[in-house]
Amino acid sequence: MSTSMWIRQIHRWLSMAFTLAVIANIVAMTMQVEAVWIGFLALVPLIPLLATGLYLFALPYLGRSKA
């Protein structure tokens, strides 16, 4: 499997983790739980999600320069 396929798979799993963290944050807000760490829970997958997303976004442009 190529590097871009691995990054694409990691990006998919990170997006699922981010979605679950956002849902947990919404549930905590509706239950009026005063836990700040739940708000920061979504940042853990968001930072690598941003990095992999930017790589996947730039991938077609990087491939054009080689052709």
Side-chain angles (χ1 to χ4, degrees), residues 22-44:
V22 168
I23 290 171
N25 194 1
I26 292 170
V27 168
M29 286 173 39
T30 58
M31 295 175 59
Q32 298 178 348
V33 175
E34 295 290 332
V36 178
W37 64 271
I38 296 175
F40 291 118
L41 187 65
L43 292 178
V44 174

Side-chain angles (χ1 to χ4, degrees), residues 3-4 8 15 17 22-23 35-36 38 41 44 47 50 56 60 62-63:
T3 306
S4 63
R8 189 177 310 268
S15 67
V22 168
I23 290 171
V36 178
I38 296 175
L41 187 65
V44 174
I47 295 167
L50 174 67
L56 291 172
L62 296 174

Side-chain angles (χ1 to χ4, degrees), residues 3-25:
T3 306
S4 63
M5 293 300 286
W6 278 103
I7 292 176
R8 189 177 310 268
Q9 192 67 25
I10 290 169
H11 186 79
R12 287 179 185 149
W13 282 103
L14 284 171
S15 67
M16 288 184 238
F18 177 70
T19 303
L20 290 175
V22 168
I23 290 171
N25 194 1

